[in-house]
Amino acid sequence: MSAALQAMGLRVRLGQRQVLGGLDVCIERGRWSCIVGPNGAGKSTLLKALAGLLPIEGQVQCLGQRLDALSRQERARRLSWLGQSEPVPDDLCVHDLVMLARLPHQGWLAAPSELDRRMVQTALQAVQAWDWRGRPMGELSGGQRQRVLLARAMAVGAELLLMDEPLAHLDPPHQVDWLEQVRGLKAQGTTVVTVLHEIGMALQADDVLVMHAGRLLHHGPCADPASQRAIEAVFDQRIAIHEVDGRWVALPRVS
Amino acid sequence: MKQAMMQGHGDATDSRLAPAAWAVLMLLGAGVGLLLGASGGSTGWQWPWQARLDPLQWQIVADIRVPRSLGAWLGGALLGLAGALAQGLFRNPLADPFLLGSAPGASLGVCIYLAVAAGSALAVPGLAQLGQTGAAFLAAAGAVALTLLLSRGVQHTQRLLLAGVIVGVLLGALTSWLSLLRPELARAMQGFLLGSTGLVGWSACALMAATLLACMALSWPLARVLDALTLGQSTAQSLGMPVAAARWVLVVALSLATGAAVAQLGLIAFVGLAAPHMVRALAPMPHRWSLPLAALAGGLLLLLADLLARVLMAPQDMPVGVLTAVLGGGYLLLRLSRLQASGGAA
């Protein structure tokens, strides 16, 4: 069984509107999959549904088990989710915020264990935030906050890491850091699923899921020409994907 | 390059006091306040150990001054805790304990009670006092229930806030109408609206102490859910927190604490709003600290206001609600001007 996440007949309604219309998705274990598509395609909704955070029709399986059959804590230990433009508390310090990631591992009134502290330290060091762990979130810049939120998502230590626009507000060096962290997590067997609007970054992933209007149009390796044609098509041929130094880049196609 | 950036943010050391130290300080402050409260009053200044010698003086200390000061501290602590719960639950720094309708509910309850009692045998002094607090508490609880009914549960923060506003306007209008019909009630109503610690006895203290312990016991174990909720509802859920169940428990604790304080002391302004702000200004801290500290800060604030109420216009008593409005409002104003100053500099 190599599926980390599998959705069958996945439908999501938000109010009257059907946002996802009967998707079948299989995310492979130990790989980085990236969801792309135009605005309003349902990318974030798919990620949230896969994380078990929305009422759905159909079924989602996580590591071979039905997601809704898992206990809240068990699901939280297996699956870490980082949302897009979620609230950030101004009056919590960086260290305390990242420690919240360890809640699924702690007993109800238990103090943080040695492992909890180590995971928090590793995550904060990975985003170079360890040195200012005592500062309140309200004093940080947008990019610094995002790095702390990334550390929070990683400190869960889950087998599955789902991130919606993780690169928001990050400057180029920290974007590269993030790429390296994802590679490191994959090497440890972690499955990573992201939503990225920047196609150049999305093409660095192993697999790409191309979405349009609540449907999955294409799912395949980024290196596959068919995947690249699908990406170009979903963006109305306004971008062109080229190879530069053995990597894929997306350039605007200006007439 | 990386190193230069790290050096720029290298100030991890924090000179601010730990939350535990603040808790000790605030408890000490409460002790001093209680001692001062037992010593001063309309009959002049006298330390409790001096009053011990005179039975009449001692009765004033034991049955009037001590329960009054203790009651002020307990009521303030209830409002401070309720304020911290409201602000955590609604993730809104402007949330105060009264926003689920308990204040207008209690006012209407008192108004109806006064209207009924004025014309009946119920207007016996001791019985009337007991009856008024009972009516206020029941009506506050009823108003919160109405708010929850209108908002169809507690899961939708915006709906809950809106329902609270609607209930407030509705019950407020009813109260105004009633007091227009019976103008002789206006004076008694005004006293309740301003809030007063003058009539608190030992039974009221016992009731508030029991409620404070119960509300703390209900809410403190859920402090981590409040922490997780600062990252948004979805993130809290993704961390395996029982968000839906916790919200119900916290709303119950919030309403109990507010109802108990309002029933005994009337509508004390600003304590519930200002106390959590004061705690936040001390240091960034998680809710397992900020909840008890907000209670301690609220208690201290009301105790201080009660002391000032006795001495400022001695031998007359000022309504304590006027002083909390001045103290709490003044503090928030100071906070606001500092925020503006730092916002302008950034």
Side-chain angles (χ1 to χ4, degrees):
Chain A
M1 187 82 196
S2 65
L5 274 173
Q6 197 165 15
M8 285 154 282
L10 178 63
R11 283 173 202 279
V12 174
R13 273 175 198 288
L14 296 179
Q16 295 294 314
R17 211 163 63 88
Q18 176 151 323
V19 186
L20 294 184
L23 262 68
D24 296 305
V25 185
C26 179
I27 307 277
E28 277 187 64
R29 213 163 172 167
R31 285 173 78 84
W32 171 19
S33 305
C34 192
I35 306 170
V36 300
N39 296 337
K43 308 182 290 286
S44 297
T45 307
L46 174 60
L47 200 71
K48 232 173 160 174
L50 290 175
L53 297 172
L54 285 177
I56 58 162
E57 291 167 47
Q59 210 195 91
V60 176
Q61 286 193 350
C62 173
L63 303 168
Q65 270 180 296
R66 279 186 65 141
L67 200 58
D68 50 7
L70 296 173
S71 75
R72 274 194 321 268
Q73 273 209 318
E74 181 58 32
R75 191 201 62 207
R77 280 193 288 258
R78 285 186 185 194
L79 199 149
S80 171
W81 176 80
L82 174 66
Q84 183 193 6
S85 38
E86 291 289 310
V88 179
D90 282 344
D91 41 18
L92 209 55
C93 80
V94 169
H95 186 269
D96 287 345
L97 189 151
V98 178
M99 189 55 92
L100 294 177
R102 301 303 295 171
L103 285 176
H105 301 270
Q106 292 168 357
W108 192 246
L109 293 175
S113 68
E114 196 43 49
L115 177 66
D116 293 335
R117 292 183 191 288
R118 216 167 43 235
M119 291 293 288
V120 169
Q121 181 170 0
T122 309
L124 277 173
Q125 282 168 339
V127 298
Q128 288 137 32
W130 179 248
D131 288 334
W132 30 273
R133 60 188 177 277
R135 287 175 66 186
M137 290 296 287
E139 288 180 6
L140 305 182
S141 75
Q144 289 172 325
R145 283 166 174 239
Q146 184 64 18
R147 280 151 60 194
V148 174
L149 295 180
L150 283 173
R152 205 281 302 155
M154 287 191 291
V156 176
E159 278 179 76
L160 276 128
L161 188 50
L162 275 55
M163 295 183 274
D164 198 347
E165 296 293 356
L167 301 178
H169 307 293
L170 290 193
D171 52 22
H174 287 107
Q175 294 196 8
V176 178
D177 282 348
W178 180 83
L179 272 181
E180 284 170 356
Q181 284 149 24
V182 169
R183 296 239 161 97
L185 287 169
K186 264 186 357 182
Q188 295 162 27
T190 308
T191 308
V192 181
V193 186
T194 56
V195 170
L196 285 175
H197 75 273
E198 208 183 305
I199 303 305
M201 276 308 223
L203 286 167
Q204 310 302 314
D206 300 316
D207 295 320
V208 64
L209 291 87
V210 185
M211 285 188 74
H212 182 64
R215 304 201 164 271
L216 184 63
L217 299 185
H218 179 91
H219 184 181
C222 285
D224 184 352
S227 300
Q228 298 171 3
R229 296 299 84 77
I231 296 173
E232 288 172 345
V234 84
F235 289 108
D236 294 334
Q237 308 293 343
R238 301 297 298 274
I239 57 167
I241 296 171
H242 299 280
E243 191 181 356
V244 177
D245 289 343
R247 285 160 182 258
W248 301 104
V249 294
L251 295 176
R253 191 175 279 164
V254 186
S255 51
Chain B
M1 165 84 182
K2 238 180 224 174
Q3 284 206 328
M5 278 162 60
M6 274 162 65
Q7 272 162 8
H9 307 298
D11 52 335
T13 48
D14 204 329
S15 59
R16 279 171 285 216
L17 272 174
W22 281 112
V24 172
L25 273 181
M26 287 191 207
L27 275 173
L28 280 178
V32 173
L34 281 176
L35 184 64
L36 292 177
S39 310
S42 54
T43 56
W45 186 271
Q46 196 173 31
W47 294 109
W49 47 90
Q50 294 172 326
R52 186 111 226 193
L53 304 171
D54 180 353
L56 183 68
Q57 281 297 326
W58 179 245
Q59 203 181 355
I60 290 176
V61 170
D63 288 343
I64 297 179
R65 288 182 188 165
V66 174
R68 175 184 175 156
S69 293
L70 188 62
W73 186 85
L74 285 166
L78 282 168
L79 289 174
L81 173 64
L85 287 175
Q87 294 181 8
L89 207 52
F90 297 108
R91 278 178 277 132
N92 186 336
L94 278 181
D96 84 356
F98 298 154
L99 54 73
L100 290 184
S102 40
S107 308
L108 182 61
V110 167
C111 198
I112 291 175
Y113 173 80
L114 289 172
V116 172
S120 74
L122 275 171
V124 185
L127 195 62
Q129 182 54 33
L130 192 74
Q132 180 173 321
T133 52
F137 184 79
L138 284 180
V144 173
L146 183 63
T147 303
L148 296 185
L149 200 70
L150 283 180
S151 68
R152 280 174 281 156
V154 295
Q155 302 311 326
H156 223 279
T157 309
Q158 296 295 335
R159 215 153 57 194
L160 204 51
L161 284 173
L162 201 59
V165 170
I166 293 168
V167 167
V169 170
L170 201 71
L171 300 189
L174 277 177
T175 310
S176 305
W177 182 53
L178 207 61
S179 40
L180 202 66
L181 287 178
R182 303 283 299 271
E184 72 275 14
L185 302 180
R187 216 183 134 75
M189 273 307 293
Q190 204 59 41
F192 176 80
L193 290 177
L194 278 174
S196 159
T197 44
L199 293 169
V200 177
W202 280 111
S203 60
C205 283
L207 212 64
M208 285 194 285
T211 313
L212 181 62
L213 282 177
C215 292
M216 206 43 116
L218 279 176
S219 54
W220 195 78
L222 296 173
R224 54 172 58 204
V225 182
L226 285 174
D227 286 338
L229 272 174
T230 60
L231 296 171
Q233 172 135 346
S234 298
T235 310
Q237 273 171 342
S238 84
L239 289 169
M241 292 290 104
V243 175
R247 263 182 205 274
W248 273 110
V249 176
L250 292 170
V251 164
V252 167
L254 158 64
S255 311
L256 264 182
T258 316
V262 166
Q264 302 295 344
L265 305 177
L267 301 191
I268 304 270
F270 269 120
V271 173
L273 186 63
H277 275 280
M278 289 179 174
V279 170
R280 262 201 294 276
L282 300 177
M285 64 180 87
H287 280 88
R288 67 173 177 278
W289 280 111
S290 67
L291 291 182
L293 277 181
L296 288 174
L300 205 56
L301 190 61
L302 196 51
L303 189 58
L304 183 69
D306 177 59
L307 283 173
L308 288 176
R310 285 192 236 174
V311 297
L312 278 186
M313 283 172 58
Q316 266 196 325
D317 239 9
M318 265 180 92
V320 76
V322 175
L323 283 162
T324 56
V326 171
L327 284 176
Y331 171 76
L332 286 179
L333 204 64
L334 190 76
R335 201 69 220 278
L336 188 69
S337 67
R338 274 200 204 145
L339 274 180
Q340 279 168 345
S342 67

